[in-house]
Amino acid sequence: MQQTLILLKPDAVQRRLVGEVIGRFEKKGLRLVGLKLVKASRDLAEKHYAVHKGKPFYESLLTFLTSGPTVAMVLEGREAVPACRALMGLTDGAKSPPGTIRGDFGLSVQNNLVHGSDSPENAIIEIGLWFKPEELVSFTQTDATWVG
Ligand code: IDP
Ligand code: MG
C-alpha cells in the first residue's frame, strides 16, 4: 500500500483552507496515518526542497515554506502518490484545471497550497524528514473493502 507526504503549505493555513483541502483527500478514500502542524525550520525546508537548490525561485520558496505553520500529513492508499498528485493539479494554479485543489483555490505558482510527493521513493524520504516513525498510526479503515 503506497504512502505519500502531503503538506498544506503556509498559504493554505493562512487562508483557512485546511479543512477544505484535507476533506478532498479524505473523500477520495485516502487513509490518514500521520497529521501535525509544523513551523518548518530553514534546515527542514532546505532538505525538503533540495532538488530545487540553485533555481531562481529557491530562496523565495524557502522563505515561503518557513513563513508560518504548515500542516504535514501522511496519506495511505492504493496508488496514493499519483492519486494525490491528480487531486492537487498542476504546479501553476492559474493553469490548473477546475476541480483540482490548485485549480480551485489559487492563481500563484509559488503559493500553490499543497505539496505532494512525486514518487513512492521520494515519499519515503520526505516522510522521514517530516515524521518520526512513532508519529505514524497504522490502522484498518472500516470501509477499506469498499474504497480499494
Ligand atoms: P510541484 O509542487 O508541483 O511538484 P515543483 O516543480 O516540484 O512543483 O516545485 C516545487 C514548488 O516550488 C512548487 O510547488 C511551487 O511552490 C514552487 N515553484 C515551482 N516553480 C516555481 C516558479 O517558477 N516560481 C516560483 N515558485 C515555483
Ligand atoms: Mg515537486
Side-chain angles (χ1 to χ4, degrees):
M1 194 61 73
Q2 238 171 51
Q3 291 190 340
T4 187
L5 179 84
I6 297 294
L7 302 178
L8 310 194
K9 300 185 196 181
D11 56 333
V13 179
Q14 293 291 356
R15 294 177 56 199
R16 301 181 177 85
L17 289 169
V18 169
E20 168 72 40
V21 174
I22 292 180
R24 291 186 175 214
F25 291 110
E26 271 197 307
K27 283 174 218 150
K28 179 71 175 172
L30 292 143
R31 186 160 48 253
L32 192 53
V33 300
L35 177 68
K36 63 180 174 181
L37 194 63
V38 181
K39 184 147 190 307
S41 64
R42 166 96 194 181
D43 180 59
L44 175 57
E46 278 181 8
K47 286 179 177 145
H48 179 78
Y49 278 132
V51 68
H52 296 298
K53 194 173 170 143
K55 294 190 183 163
F57 58 84
Y58 178 70
E59 276 305 322
S60 169
L61 182 59
L62 294 194
T63 301
F64 166 53
L65 190 63
T66 57
S67 68
T70 289
V71 174
M73 299 191 282
V74 177
L75 297 178
E76 189 175 83
R78 181 178 165 268
E79 297 287 336
V81 167
C84 287
R85 295 280 297 190
L87 287 178
M88 289 160 51
L90 306 176
T91 306
D92 184 346
K95 296 179 183 146
S96 199
T100 64
I101 294 163
R102 288 164 168 174
D104 284 350
F105 299 117
L107 285 170
S108 172
V109 182
Q110 177 184 272
N111 301 356
N112 59 4
L113 300 148
V114 274
H115 165 83
S117 306
D118 62 7
S119 69
E121 298 73 31
N122 283 338
I124 290 165
I125 295 167
E126 292 175 357
I127 290 166
L129 289 176
W130 290 83
F131 285 89
K132 298 177 193 147
E134 63 268 26
E135 290 175 322
L136 303 181
V137 182
S138 261
F139 64 102
T140 304
Q141 202 123 29
T142 52
D143 64 358
T145 52
W146 299 99
V147 172

